[in-house]
Amino acid sequence: LPWFDGMMAANKDFFEKTGEPLFSSHMLDLSEETDEENIAICVKYFKQMVPMKIFLEMEIGITGGEEDGVNNEDVDPEKLYTTPEQVWEVYKALAPIGEGFSVAAAFGNVHGVYKPGNVKLSPERLGKHQAYTKAQLGCATDKPIFLVMHGGSGSTDAEIQEAVSNGVVKMNIDTDTQWAYWDGLRAFEAKSRDYLQGQIGNPDGPDKPNKKYYDPRKWVREAEKSMVKRTQLALEKLNATGKLGEGYKQPTPEIGTHECANFKSGGFMSEINPISIAIGAIVGFALAKAI
């Protein structure tokens, strides 16, 4: 994968100079490939990532809908549900290399938002993945796998809560945040429409300037503020509000101390709270400004 090789080369160069990678994690979606090829390529790159302490998120099973030119709207519905055996194959291949990985297993997820009833999410399947892997490992922990929920936009509170209870530590809500960004801009335009029809002249007078309304810094900021509110709502739904501060107070556990450490590399990271959300369109400084 030339594009991924380029990022790994940049990571290595930065790591050699600074002692840390350029990217803290990578998401590698090869779900369109066969399981064998998908896993094999992930293994290849994960071996390069572990020495630099880079986290890997891989996807197995297809997410429906359409995104970035990939259209799975007419895919066989059965392919939208990953099996416990598939997840175990991923775990079995990656765990001996390192513990810093998560699995985006499909449970009926789709990209985008659709009319209620048109999408059948089955987050209870995630619990079956955990139970199957636990049985294979013979360990005590109920949730040995870090799971990821793709296509989280439009999900109900109940679906999100069940996914989190079954070990989801990250949820993607790109479509919802795209809408939130647009909705902030839309509301600003509707409120300020009479001040956006020309550079000069508005209800306050024919000679009044309108720069403070059409200045991109103004309406972009309104869009960012709307997205921040959506992000805060997601944190609440994921039971993650206020958890970052708590996390910083806790000592970082040593790698290899997990009770399921029965592979050569040593164990897996202890269970964590779902405190990360992938937001494809968010502007990095937006949240920082609003806090």
Side-chain angles (χ1 to χ4, degrees), residues 54-75:
I54 303 174
F55 195 93
L56 171 66
E57 176 188 328
M58 69 85 65
E59 181 172 356
I60 190 161
I62 294 175
T63 300
E66 189 278 332
E67 184 177 57
D68 296 334
V70 178
N71 193 323
N72 289 325
E73 292 179 325
D74 298 320
V75 72

Side-chain angles (χ1 to χ4, degrees), residues 101-129:
F101 69 92
S102 59
V103 182
F107 54 99
N109 322 61
V110 298
H111 291 126
V113 174
Y114 296 84
K115 182 180 178 180
N118 287 2
V119 176
K120 173 56 179 173
L121 283 182
S122 299
E124 70 278 0
R125 290 177 179 246
L126 301 178
K128 295 178 180 179
H129 301 333

Side-chain angles (χ1 to χ4, degrees), residues 188-225:
F188 174 76
E189 189 280 333
K191 178 182 178 181
S192 308
R193 183 168 299 164
D194 291 341
Y195 298 83
L196 296 169
Q197 304 308 308
Q199 288 185 293
I200 303 294
N202 58 51
D204 298 330
D207 298 326
K208 296 292 184 179
N210 295 316
K211 177 176 171 54
K212 65 180 180 180
Y213 294 97
Y214 65 76
D215 185 335
R217 291 171 294 184
K218 176 62 178 179
W219 49 264
V220 167
R221 184 62 190 140
E222 294 303 312
E224 291 173 347
K225 287 162 62 177

Side-chain angles (χ1 to χ4, degrees), residues 64-252:
E66 189 278 332
E67 184 177 57
D68 296 334
V70 178
N71 193 323
N72 289 325
E73 292 179 325
D74 298 320
V75 72
D76 180 356
E78 285 302 312
K79 293 184 178 180
L80 299 179
Y81 300 95
T82 306
T83 67
E85 291 79 9
Q86 287 177 291
V87 174
W88 168 243
E89 288 302 315
V90 174
Y91 192 91
K92 186 169 62 173
L94 296 180
I97 303 168
E99 57 201 28
F101 69 92
S102 59
V103 182
F107 54 99
N109 322 61
V110 298
H111 291 126
V113 174
Y114 296 84
K115 182 180 178 180
N118 287 2
V119 176
K120 173 56 179 173
L121 283 182
S122 299
E124 70 278 0
R125 290 177 179 246
L126 301 178
K128 295 178 180 179
H129 301 333
Q130 300 284 15
Y132 186 86
T133 295
K134 174 184 177 179
Q136 300 304 310
L137 291 171
C139 64
T141 185
D142 291 330
K143 290 176 281 192
I145 317 166
F146 293 143
L147 294 172
V148 176
M149 181 177 178
H150 283 186
S153 294
S155 300
T156 66
D157 290 354
E159 289 167 340
I160 294 171
Q161 287 300 313
E162 185 166 6
V164 170
S165 70
N166 285 324
V168 162
V169 298
K170 173 176 173 283
M171 181 178 75
N172 293 7
I173 54 167
D174 188 24
T175 300
D176 276 357
T177 50
Q178 288 174 352
W179 171 259
Y181 191 94
W182 158 250
D183 198 40
L185 193 159
R186 180 201 58 76
F188 174 76
E189 189 280 333
K191 178 182 178 181
S192 308
R193 183 168 299 164
D194 291 341
Y195 298 83
L196 296 169
Q197 304 308 308
Q199 288 185 293
I200 303 294
N202 58 51
D204 298 330
D207 298 326
K208 296 292 184 179
N210 295 316
K211 177 176 171 54
K212 65 180 180 180
Y213 294 97
Y214 65 76
D215 185 335
R217 291 171 294 184
K218 176 62 178 179
W219 49 264
V220 167
R221 184 62 190 140
E222 294 303 312
E224 291 173 347
K225 287 162 62 177
S226 178
M227 183 183 283
V228 166
K229 290 181 180 179
R230 181 61 183 84
T231 303
Q232 292 170 333
L233 177 62
L235 291 171
E236 294 171 6
K237 291 178 180 292
L238 290 171
N239 303 326
T241 302
K243 297 294 177 68
L244 183 60
E246 294 176 10
Y248 274 120
K249 297 175 184 177
Q250 304 300 320
T252 301

